[in-house]
Amino acid sequence: MTVVTAQTEAAVPPVDQVPGQAAAETGEFWVEPGTSVDEVPADGAREETPAAGAHDEAPAEEAHAEAAEAESAEAEAAKAEAVEEDAHAEVAPEDVPAEVARDAQDFGAYVRAGGWAFALKVARSVRPGGETPGETRKVSAKAFAQLAGCSPERVMRYYKAWDKAADDGLVPYFETLAPGQDVELPDSDVWHAYYVSRSSASSERGTAITAAAEAEGIRPTKALEVAENPTALRAAILADPSTAKAARAALLDRLQEDPALQTEWARDIARTDDLKKAVATETQAASRIGYVRDIVENGQVKTPAGQTIDAPAELRAEAERHLSLIDELDEDEDTSEWASEAFDSMKDIVAQTIQADPELRLQERRTKFYSSLQKATKVFEELTFDDADDLDTIYEDDMLQRLEELQEAISTCITTLRKAAPGK
């Protein structure tokens, strides 16, 4: 198929020109795709058809746009093919400018060795502290920094990284290196184990942070960066639940070894009403879950009066069911409702067990009586012993009346117990 495209001027004719006039004057014409040149009618036939009319102007422009898009797509494809061929082509250093080759080689060295490539420049150019200027061609860290346009502290960080690696046998010592000398460098993966990008790492605090970061398997530089910007840490904790969760877990781990932090945290909780309520709720839930867990693990249960009895099979089965449901909850789910339901269920079964066994019911009453008697005795002893010397100073008629009522109740109780004593 042969396609002849109109010139750009004819694609959009001037306003004072009749459509198709420019093509007629220049002797050029447009052939719709799908036809050949031979199929184009003669001049006379063209005049009889409405091709040059206003109704066919839009289809002609659309066809021209489609042809232009096709040409553009072919050009892009050819360009992409050329780029792909260029990418797979072998390039020799002598085929490119020397500056480009040098940059590529430097880039490759950094990719392979990472910071070691720069540390080598420092190690072979900066003299060790024990050498004087006259003994070596090397310069001081300060002079090297001035030439490099950076701070002496940054130079010394690379210097110290090389020094540590030399002690581990990864690189040669400074004294064996001369300016411009190249040596085999370690892999870039181990660079961060020796280089510390912050001067704060050399402090006692920084050393502790570095050790903790290494224990967690992360780069010390990341941990030091966070420690140096507590405001950013606060913002992340406030905005992101996962960050807050990580911070909470870290604080809980630290609490075990930091008594001062324990005291501060307890004080903050005690001074905040909402936290106090939350602590009380969680404490109650934990106590109830512990009650259920003891039934499952020990096979025993404590009655309301305080005596410990063997848990019936029904009670143990119900306790296991509730405990399995609680253990399946996610860590961040509220357990208070589940704990209350389990605890109430255990209490009901224990009460039914006591009520169904006369001997157990009698022992429960006896245990409850002893418990109340011990509490009353302790309270009364504290009352009389503390105030016996000056009761006249605090005398009130109501006090005497209540003590007399108490004495009468005790006498009645004693009389009843005496009647119930064996042999009476």
Side-chain angles (χ1 to χ4, degrees):
M1 178 181 66
T2 304
V3 177
V4 180
T5 58
Q7 296 297 326
T8 306
E9 298 89 314
V12 182
V15 294
D16 58 348
Q17 184 174 337
V18 178
Q21 180 178 347
E25 292 176 354
T26 57
E28 297 175 351
F29 58 89
W30 182 85
V31 179
E32 185 173 351
T35 63
S36 65
V37 178
D38 297 336
E39 295 173 347
V40 179
D43 291 346
R46 268 203 318 270
E47 290 176 359
E48 295 174 1
T49 62
H55 294 291
D56 286 349
E57 182 178 356
E61 291 179 354
E62 292 177 359
H64 181 270
E66 291 177 359
E69 289 178 2
E71 289 182 357
S72 176
E74 292 177 359
E76 290 293 333
K79 183 178 179 181
E81 183 178 356
V83 170
E84 184 176 359
E85 291 177 356
D86 185 62
H88 290 84
E90 294 291 337
V91 179
E94 58 271 14
D95 295 338
V96 298
E99 296 82 2
V100 175
R102 185 169 57 253
D103 285 346
Q105 292 167 358
D106 291 344
F107 178 80
Y110 180 75
V111 169
R112 290 187 298 274
W116 295 114
F118 296 103
L120 172 61
K121 298 180 184 298
V122 173
R124 68 190 183 188
S125 300
V126 175
R127 62 173 179 264
E131 295 184 0
T132 60
E135 297 177 0
T136 178
R137 295 169 51 208
K138 299 179 182 181
V139 299
S140 66
K142 182 177 181 181
F144 189 88
Q146 289 177 347
L147 294 172
C150 65
S151 66
E153 290 77 16
R154 180 179 291 272
V155 173
M156 287 306 300
R157 288 199 286 272
Y158 281 86
Y159 186 94
K160 292 176 181 178
W162 187 277
D163 191 28
K164 294 177 183 177
D167 290 338
D168 290 346
L170 293 179
V171 295
Y173 283 101
F174 299 105
E175 293 78 6
T176 64
L177 296 174
Q181 179 181 349
D182 287 325
V183 297
E184 185 176 354
L185 298 175
D187 292 337
S188 60
D189 296 340
V190 299
W191 168 248
H192 292 291
Y194 294 93
Y195 177 75
V196 179
S197 63
R198 282 171 166 75
S199 58
S200 61
S202 59
S203 64
E204 181 178 352
R205 174 172 174 262
T207 302
I209 294 174
T210 299
E214 291 174 349
E216 294 289 336
I218 63 173
R219 289 168 48 185
T221 50
K222 291 293 184 182
L224 290 167
E225 181 180 355
V226 172
E228 290 175 2
N229 198 342
T231 303
L233 176 61
R234 170 184 166 82
I237 292 174
L238 291 175
D240 180 36
S242 61
T243 304
K245 186 176 181 180
R248 177 180 63 84
L251 284 173
L252 288 175
D253 291 342
R254 184 178 177 86
L255 279 174
Q256 300 176 7
E257 302 176 357
D258 193 340
L261 183 60
Q262 292 178 13
T263 303
E264 292 174 5
W265 206 346
R267 186 183 300 118
D268 291 338
I269 292 174
R271 293 174 178 176
T272 308
D273 291 338
D274 291 342
L275 288 179
K276 283 194 297 184
K277 294 178 182 177
V279 169
T281 300
E282 291 300 322
T283 301
Q284 184 184 59
S287 176
R288 290 177 170 179
I289 293 174
Y291 179 81
V292 177
R293 195 177 299 278
D294 284 342
I295 297 175
V296 175
E297 296 177 354
N298 301 326
Q300 293 183 323
V301 62
K302 184 172 289 188
T303 66
Q307 64 173 327
T308 301
I309 62 174
D310 292 335
E314 178 190 1
L315 180 63
R316 294 191 65 176
E318 185 69 4
E320 288 178 356
R321 186 182 72 83
H322 281 283
L323 191 60
S324 64
L325 293 174
I326 293 173
D327 289 341
E328 290 176 359
L329 296 176
D330 293 335
E331 184 180 351
D332 55 350
E333 283 192 72
D334 185 13
T335 59
S336 58
E337 183 177 348
W338 295 83
S340 297
E341 181 180 346
F343 183 72
D344 292 342
S345 178
M346 298 301 101
K347 283 201 320 180
D348 291 343
I349 297 178
V350 169
Q352 293 171 12
T353 302
I354 295 173
Q355 192 66 25
D357 188 336
E359 183 178 351
L360 185 58
R361 184 168 66 250
L362 180 60
Q363 184 61 30
E364 181 73 0
R365 291 180 60 192
R366 184 181 292 114
T367 303
K368 184 177 181 181
F369 182 86
Y370 265 113
S371 177
S372 300
L373 181 60
Q374 289 174 354
K375 293 177 182 178
T377 302
K378 184 177 180 180
V379 171
F380 189 74
E381 286 176 349
E382 292 176 354
L383 174 65
T384 56
F385 293 156
D386 292 343
D387 302 325
D389 296 336
D390 57 350
L391 284 177
D392 55 334
T393 61
I394 61 171
Y395 171 81
E396 293 286 346
D397 292 339
D398 183 58
M399 292 181 184
L400 182 58
Q401 179 182 350
R402 296 185 65 177
L403 283 172
E404 289 174 345
E405 292 174 354
L406 179 60
Q407 183 181 25
E408 183 178 352
I410 294 175
S411 298
T412 302
C413 185
I414 293 174
T415 301
T416 304
L417 286 174
R418 281 177 178 170
K419 290 180 181 179
K424 296 296 183 178

